[in-house]
């Protein structure tokens, strides 16, 4: 709603304010006003800041602060403006700048606060309601977009109910009107939502009204979409597409067949495959209806384009392909399409890529068929199809975890990804790992070291740093290894991440092995690590705890001390006394793998406790 201008952004009004009796303040104030009137905003701003420094208790301070807030808003610094408005002490001036404050919250996207402030104002004021209502509508609509669960969305939308009468009659900004229509949809008040859009007028809002009508009056929506589809405009393509899908949902297949050329020519390029699928289903479904109604001539008319030619491999394959497009069941779709592929050959001049991609998208929904999903996507990749980078990354990740020749596929995929995006960090991470597996250590290190020259805080970058540090440590390049380990774990917040936690643990072990720093410092590092425990990154924190006990034992070999530490550690990891501990165990219990891992470590602790107790008992009997 950037074009909404409901506020006046500064100050000729300063001249009509009642000034305090201090002559220096009057002179200073007039100088500020002169600078502003002359358009010297930078000077005026500096003078206002100086005024507040010199006269913080002046009765003019609220007006100066408000002016600075307006200036910050004018300079597109809403957070700074909001901070300044909060410092206004004069209630009258604060009230005058209330809409300015709402605009700041709107620009910042602080929708929950914006909605609450609007609602409080609407409950207590009688003036300026329309402007506040519009912000209220937009804030609620934005909040719903971030909310999961229909009941919660309905609860948020229901906050407009006390103002419904005013809203229906009000003249609203298009963004606010659109938000209001969305809120009505969540309240199942579809007709009211459509009415709001139609009142606004304009191609976009008519299109929105048709979308809403499709939920309660599909026949009316069809006519609205049909009207938009006949006009050249921004929404002609979308109207054509929605007209097709709504006609299909309503079973009006003959109308679709009569306008098939129109649909194919008037939708966006990326929608055409879906349109073709719908048309294919339409032909088959209409043919079935005519056959069921013993209208064989009409049925043959629909199928004549292919029926008499189904003897050739291509036509047989096309028959299976069209049959597959009519299937909602993924397995049946895949079986039919695989049969289609068995008839199609490159010699026929057929582009098999769309079928491979379609099979990938279907197989990936079936956990038992991930290998087939990957195979078809790889075949599409080999055909030089333009495959989205995320899908290439998925495929590379899948094949890098395989064995033998299949793993080689990951290498070619990663090369392609890096040729398109040389700084794709996940690809760089995996490529380095493949180099290491192939014994090409120098190539891996060179790739990772080059990547580390460019700053980044991504998770993949942290994993690269961690693996590089491990390689340095393995080659006894201690200083390089520790530098990377420490960079990953220097902040306590880093210890909540897998890379940070492992880096801390590796750093302690390396320093302890090389005797580089006192035990006390190592113990402090481990203690910080253990306190950041979370179940997602286990067993790193459990390993840290065992490392802590081992170091303490070197420092103080007393069995009593060791037993105390073992028991304390077990209590710390099994406790549910605080919120973090309860969260740790709640998540663990939902993950059988983590539960089993945790129990192994508890069994290990129990065994060590028992062994230590026996050692203590034996020493007492001597």
């Amino acid at each position: 709603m950037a074009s909404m201008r409901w506020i006046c952004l500064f100050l000729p009004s300063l001249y009509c304010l009642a000034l305090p009796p201090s002559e220096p303040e009057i002179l200073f104030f007039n100088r500020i006003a002169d600078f502003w009137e002359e358009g010297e905003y930078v000077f005026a701003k500096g003078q206002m800041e100086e005024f507040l420094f010199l006269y913080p208790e002046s009765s003019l301070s609220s007006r100066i602060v408000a002016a600075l807030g307006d200036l910050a808003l004018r300079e597109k610094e809403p957070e700074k403006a909001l901070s300044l408005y909060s410092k206004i002490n004069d209630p009258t001036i604060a009230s005058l700048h209330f809409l300015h404050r709402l605009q700041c919250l709107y620009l910042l996207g602080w929708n929950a606060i914006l909605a609450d402030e609007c609602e409080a104002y609407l409950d207590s004021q009688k003036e300026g309601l329309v402007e506040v209502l519009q912000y209220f509508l937009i804030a609620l609509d934005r909040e719903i977009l971030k909310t999961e669960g229909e009941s919660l969305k309905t609860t948020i939308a229901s906050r407009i109910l006390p103002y419904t009468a005013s809203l229906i009659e009000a003249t609203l900004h298009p963004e606010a009107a659109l938000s209001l229509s969305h809120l009505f949809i969540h309240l199942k008040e579809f007709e009211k939502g459509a009415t709001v859009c139609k009142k606004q007028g304009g191609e976009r809002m008519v299109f929105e009204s048709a979308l809403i009508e499709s939920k309660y009056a599909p026949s009316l929506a069809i006519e609205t979409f049909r009207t938009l589809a006949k006009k050249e405009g921004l929404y002609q393509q979308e109207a054509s597409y929605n007209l097709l899908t709504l006609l299909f949902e309503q079973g009006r297949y003959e109308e679709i067949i009569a306008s098939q050329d129109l649909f194919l020519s008037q939708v966006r390029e990326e929608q055409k495959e879906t349109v073709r699928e719908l048309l294919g289903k339409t032909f088959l479904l209409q043919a079935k209806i005519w056959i069921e109604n013993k209208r064989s001539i009409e049925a043959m008319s629909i199928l004549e384009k292919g029926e008499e030619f189904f003897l050739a491999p291509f036509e047989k394959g096309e028959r299976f392909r069209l049959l597959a497009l009519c299937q909602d069941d993924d397995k049946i779709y895949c079986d039919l399409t695989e049969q289609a592929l068995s008839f199609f050959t490159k010699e026929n001049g057929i582009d098999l890529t769309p079928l491979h991609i379609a099979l990938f998208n279907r197989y990936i929904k079936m956990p038992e068929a991930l290998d087939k999903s990957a195979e078809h996507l790889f075949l599409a990749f080999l055909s030089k199809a333009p495959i989205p980078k995320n899908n290439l990354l998925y495929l590379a990740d899948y094949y890098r975890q395989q064995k033998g020749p299949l793993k080689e596929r990951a290498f070619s995929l990663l090369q392609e990804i890096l040729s398109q995006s040389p700084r794709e960090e996940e690809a760089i991470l995996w490529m380095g790992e493949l180099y290491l597996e192939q014994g090409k250590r120098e190539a891996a290190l060179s790739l990772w070291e080059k990547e580390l020259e460019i700053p980044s805080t991504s998770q993949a970058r942290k994993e690269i740093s961690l693996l590089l540090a491990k390689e340095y440590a393995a080659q006894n390049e201690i200083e390089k290894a520790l530098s990377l380990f420490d960079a990953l774990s220097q902040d306590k917040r880093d210890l909540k991440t897998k890379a940070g936690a492992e880096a801390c643990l590796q750093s302690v072990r390396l320093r302890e092995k090389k005797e580089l720093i006192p035990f006390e410092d190592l113990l402090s590092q481990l203690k910080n690590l253990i306190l950041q425990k979370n179940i997602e990154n286990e067993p790193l924190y459990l390993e840290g705890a065992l490392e802590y006990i081992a170091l303490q034992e070197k420092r103080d070999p007393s069995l009593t001390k060791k037993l105390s530490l073992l028991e304390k550690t077990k209590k710390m990891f099994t406790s549910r006394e605080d919120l973090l501990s309860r969260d740790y165990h709640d998540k663990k219990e939902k993950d059988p793998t983590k539960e089993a891992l945790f129990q192994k470590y508890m069994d290990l602790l129990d065994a060590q406790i028992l062994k230590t107790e026996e050692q203590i008992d034996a020493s007492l009997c001597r």
Side-chain angles (χ1 to χ4, degrees):
M1 205 167 85
S3 62
M4 297 177 70
R5 302 296 184 195
W6 300 327
I7 65 173
C8 178
L9 281 178
F10 197 52
L11 279 189
S13 58
L14 283 175
Y15 284 114
C16 62
L17 300 173
L19 300 175
S22 166
E23 186 173 346
E25 289 181 50
I26 295 172
L27 292 173
F28 206 139
F29 186 81
N30 287 337
R31 185 164 69 248
I32 294 171
D34 286 343
F35 276 131
W36 185 267
E37 190 175 60
E38 293 166 6
E40 298 289 350
Y41 303 128
V42 174
F43 290 144
K45 181 180 177 182
Q47 291 286 296
M48 285 188 280
E49 290 170 347
E50 185 178 348
F51 183 96
L52 292 174
F53 177 77
L54 295 174
Y55 308 109
E57 303 301 324
S58 171
S59 60
L60 288 173
S61 62
S62 286
R63 294 179 173 89
I64 296 291
V65 169
L68 282 170
D70 291 349
L71 186 57
L73 189 53
R74 178 178 184 149
E75 293 174 347
K76 299 180 179 180
E77 296 183 273
E79 190 165 2
K80 181 178 179 182
L82 191 63
S83 175
L84 287 162
Y85 291 145
S86 68
K87 297 175 183 177
I88 298 174
N89 296 321
D90 188 322
T92 301
I93 294 177
S95 175
L96 290 172
H97 286 75
F98 179 69
L99 285 178
H100 303 214
R101 176 178 173 80
L102 296 187
Q103 188 174 13
C104 291
L105 294 169
Y106 166 83
L107 293 172
L108 289 166
W110 295 358
N111 302 306
I113 300 173
L114 176 57
D116 290 343
E117 294 210 8
C118 289
E119 193 168 33
Y121 181 91
L122 293 169
D123 289 342
S124 62
Q125 303 293 327
K126 301 298 181 184
E127 298 180 356
L129 297 182
V130 173
E131 292 86 348
V132 178
L133 274 170
Q134 295 191 92
Y135 279 123
F136 187 45
L137 296 173
I138 294 167
L140 293 178
D141 191 23
R142 287 177 170 182
E143 273 298 287
I144 285 175
L145 288 176
K146 300 187 300 181
T147 302
E148 295 183 2
E150 286 305 314
S151 61
L152 287 176
K153 291 180 179 181
T154 303
T155 299
I156 294 172
S158 66
R159 293 170 68 178
I160 68 165
L161 291 176
Y163 318 104
T164 301
S166 301
L167 289 168
I168 293 292
E169 298 301 323
T171 300
L172 302 175
H173 183 278
E175 184 180 1
L178 194 56
S179 292
L180 177 58
S181 70
H182 294 164
L183 295 171
F184 276 134
I185 290 171
H186 288 294
L187 293 171
K188 309 300 182 188
E189 298 277 2
F190 301 116
E191 191 168 359
K192 288 182 180 178
T195 300
V196 169
C197 292
K198 284 187 174 179
K199 181 181 177 183
Q200 283 288 315
E203 189 179 2
R204 180 190 179 186
M205 298 306 283
V206 171
F207 176 77
E208 292 289 342
S209 73
L211 289 177
I212 300 172
E213 287 169 347
S214 67
K215 300 178 184 297
Y216 74 97
S219 296
L220 185 59
I222 285 171
E223 294 312 311
T224 305
F225 282 135
R226 200 191 303 276
T227 300
L228 288 171
K230 291 177 181 178
K231 297 179 181 179
E232 290 190 7
L234 293 175
Y235 289 86
Q236 184 182 41
Q237 292 177 318
E238 287 301 318
S240 299
Y241 181 77
N242 279 275
L243 174 60
L244 169 62
T245 56
L246 196 52
L247 285 170
F248 185 83
E249 289 172 5
Q250 296 300 306
R252 293 162 67 165
Y253 305 127
E254 291 181 82
E255 293 179 55
I256 295 175
I257 293 168
S259 303
Q260 59 179 294
D261 293 336
L262 178 69
F263 291 128
L264 283 170
S265 63
Q266 283 194 186
V267 297
R268 290 186 285 108
E269 190 63 34
E270 60 268 27
Q271 293 173 331
K272 286 187 177 180
E273 184 62 29
T274 304
V275 170
R276 291 188 183 96
E277 290 185 11
L278 284 175
L279 288 173
K281 292 178 180 180
T282 298
F283 287 130
L284 288 173
L285 290 169
Q286 186 61 52
K288 288 178 182 178
I289 291 172
W290 282 337
I291 290 170
E292 288 170 1
N293 287 280
K294 304 185 183 304
R295 297 174 64 179
S296 58
I297 295 176
E298 289 92 336
M300 288 175 63
S301 175
I302 291 297
L303 296 174
E304 66 181 1
K305 294 179 181 178
E307 186 176 22
E308 59 185 289
F309 302 109
F310 283 167
L311 298 176
F314 168 76
E315 285 76 23
K316 288 183 178 181
E318 184 69 2
R319 174 175 174 271
F320 281 117
R321 187 183 77 84
L322 292 173
L323 286 170
L325 292 174
C326 296
Q327 304 301 319
D328 292 325
D329 183 277
D330 290 326
K331 187 177 187 309
I332 297 174
Y333 174 91
C334 291
D335 289 343
L336 289 169
T337 306
E338 292 282 14
Q339 291 183 68
L341 282 173
S342 71
F343 288 103
F344 292 150
T345 63
K346 289 183 179 180
E347 287 71 25
N348 299 133
I350 302 166
D351 181 9
L352 303 181
T353 301
L355 291 181
H356 288 309
I357 292 175
L359 283 168
F360 159 71
N361 287 324
R362 293 295 185 116
Y363 276 131
I364 202 170
K365 300 176 186 177
M366 298 183 277
E368 72 280 6
L370 292 181
D371 55 338
K372 292 183 178 179
S373 173
E375 178 68 24
H376 282 287
L377 186 58
F378 189 73
L379 289 171
F381 167 72
L382 291 179
S383 69
K384 308 298 181 183
I387 298 172
K389 183 175 66 176
N390 285 344
N391 285 348
L392 289 177
L393 284 167
Y394 158 80
L395 197 56
D397 187 29
Y398 175 82
Y399 280 125
R400 77 187 181 90
Q401 299 177 61
Q402 306 305 309
K403 297 179 180 179
L406 289 178
K407 187 181 281 284
E408 291 299 317
R409 292 183 174 185
F411 195 82
S412 60
L413 287 160
L414 291 172
Q415 284 181 317
E416 175 62 25
I417 293 166
L418 291 174
S419 72
Q420 298 175 15
S421 305
R423 289 211 53 229
E424 183 59 50
E425 291 179 321
E426 280 188 307
I428 291 170
L429 169 65
W430 298 335
M431 182 69 89
E433 290 178 317
L434 288 177
Y435 278 143
L436 289 178
E437 289 178 15
Q438 295 172 355
K440 300 177 181 178
R441 181 177 180 273
E442 291 304 318
L445 266 57
S446 174
L447 180 67
W448 287 343
E449 288 170 342
K450 183 178 179 181
E451 178 61 19
L452 260 58
E453 292 174 1
I454 304 170
S456 172
T457 58
S458 72
Q459 184 59 38
R461 169 60 65 82
K462 291 176 181 178
E463 291 182 39
I464 290 171
S465 297
L466 181 63
L467 289 174
L468 188 56
K470 288 181 177 180
E471 284 301 308
Y472 286 148
Q475 297 300 316
N476 209 32
E477 297 181 68
I478 306 304
E479 187 175 341
K480 286 184 178 181
L482 289 176
S483 175
L484 289 175
F485 284 143
D486 292 345
L488 287 167
S489 59
Q490 61 186 355
D491 192 308
K492 289 183 180 178
R493 289 173 296 183
D494 295 330
L495 301 180
K496 289 184 177 293
T497 68
K498 185 177 184 299
E502 187 171 355
C504 177
L505 190 57
Q506 295 283 355
S507 172
V508 169
R509 286 172 173 170
L510 187 56
R511 284 188 164 96
E512 191 270 333
K513 181 179 178 181
K514 300 297 182 180
E515 299 181 351
L516 296 178
I517 61 174
F519 268 29
E520 289 77 6
D521 293 342
L522 298 178
L523 292 171
S524 294
Q525 282 184 255
L526 288 171
K527 181 61 70 175
N528 288 336
L529 171 64
I530 297 165
L531 291 174
Q532 302 301 322
K533 72 180 190 297
N534 58 77
I535 196 62
E536 291 86 350
N537 299 326
E538 289 293 16
L540 293 171
Y541 306 103
L542 289 160
E543 283 289 328
L546 295 176
E547 194 77 28
Y548 181 86
I549 294 169
L551 284 177
Q552 284 281 26
E553 189 175 8
K554 287 184 179 180
R555 183 167 170 264
D556 180 0
S558 164
L559 290 173
T560 305
K561 173 74 170 179
K562 180 180 180 181
L563 179 61
S564 174
L565 288 171
L566 288 167
E567 291 175 338
K568 180 180 177 182
T569 299
K570 181 177 181 182
K571 181 179 179 182
M572 178 177 64
F573 277 92
T574 55
S575 171
R576 291 175 178 265
E577 293 179 358
D578 58 82
L579 185 61
L580 290 176
S581 295
R582 287 195 292 274
D583 181 66
Y584 180 94
H585 286 285
D586 288 345
K587 290 180 178 178
K588 169 178 65 68
E589 289 162 2
K590 293 175 183 177
D591 186 338
T593 303
K594 291 293 184 183
E595 179 72 55
L597 177 70
F598 179 82
Q599 193 54 53
K600 286 182 180 179
Y601 276 87
M602 292 303 101
D603 292 344
L604 177 60
L605 281 173
D606 286 338
Q608 290 196 14
I609 289 171
L610 181 61
K611 181 179 178 181
T612 306
E613 287 175 338
E614 289 174 350
Q615 289 174 332
I616 291 173
D617 290 342
S619 67
L620 292 175
C621 293
R622 291 194 189 107

